[in-house]
Amino acid sequence: MHSEAVVEGSVVTSSTGSRDILELVAVITGMRCAVAARVTRESWVALDAIDQAGYGIRKGTRLDAELTLCKKVKDTRTPICISDAEKGASLDHDYIPATMGFRSYVAVPLVTRDGTLFGTLCAFDPDPRPISLKEV
């Protein structure tokens, strides 16, 4: 993954294209939940998801954006990478990993070809996973 992923056409809404991308993200990160999400000021909506960790995330799942780290990624246009939330550096929103039940997390902004921020491509897992921004 790169620091920003470009949304081409309807790749994140096409079930075949998005499924392939999410499976690749899961393999690269070792995380069992991978999601392409539309993120607005108020909401986080899963456009497609692979959830083998039991979070209950699937296409159409909606969350309050304030309860997600994806909102921070969207607001700053900066990737976030957490190998182990219990041992990592302090985050602005330390409560989010504990509230959502994950220890590892990675997300990159999704932008359209014209540079408009669309949402995030993220992965997370209840177990720690060794990952760094270099790999992202």
Side-chain angles (χ1 to χ4, degrees):
M1 295 190 322
H2 300 286
S3 61
E4 285 189 344
V6 177
V7 179
E8 294 189 26
S10 60
V11 72
V12 293
T13 57
S14 151
S15 61
T16 303
S18 64
R19 184 64 47 175
D20 291 346
I21 291 168
L22 294 175
E23 287 175 3
L24 181 60
V25 168
V27 168
I28 290 170
T29 65
M31 297 182 197
R32 292 173 282 174
C33 190
V35 183
R38 175 76 170 127
V39 183
T40 66
R41 202 175 349 206
E42 298 84 25
S43 65
W44 177 98
V45 180
L47 300 174
D48 204 355
I50 293 175
D51 181 2
Q52 297 175 347
Y55 289 107
I57 305 285
R58 61 184 176 272
K59 185 176 182 176
T61 298
R62 291 182 177 272
L63 299 172
D64 178 343
E66 292 298 327
L67 299 177
T68 71
L69 289 173
C70 289
K71 183 173 184 312
K72 183 175 181 180
V73 172
K74 177 194 172 291
D75 291 347
T76 64
R77 293 180 79 121
T78 304
I80 292 178
C81 186
I82 303 168
S83 291
D84 188 347
E86 291 182 7
K87 296 182 180 179
S90 178
L91 296 169
D92 292 341
H93 302 290
D94 286 333
Y95 64 90
I96 293 175
T99 302
M100 299 306 288
F102 61 80
R103 286 183 63 185
S104 54
Y105 173 88
V106 63
V108 296
L110 289 173
V111 296
T112 61
R113 284 182 181 243
D114 70 1
T116 303
L117 193 71
F118 180 80
T120 60
L121 180 60
C122 61
F124 42 97
D125 198 278
D127 296 322
R129 299 285 185 227
I131 192 158
S132 69
L133 283 178
K134 245 189 219 181
E135 295 168 275
V136 175

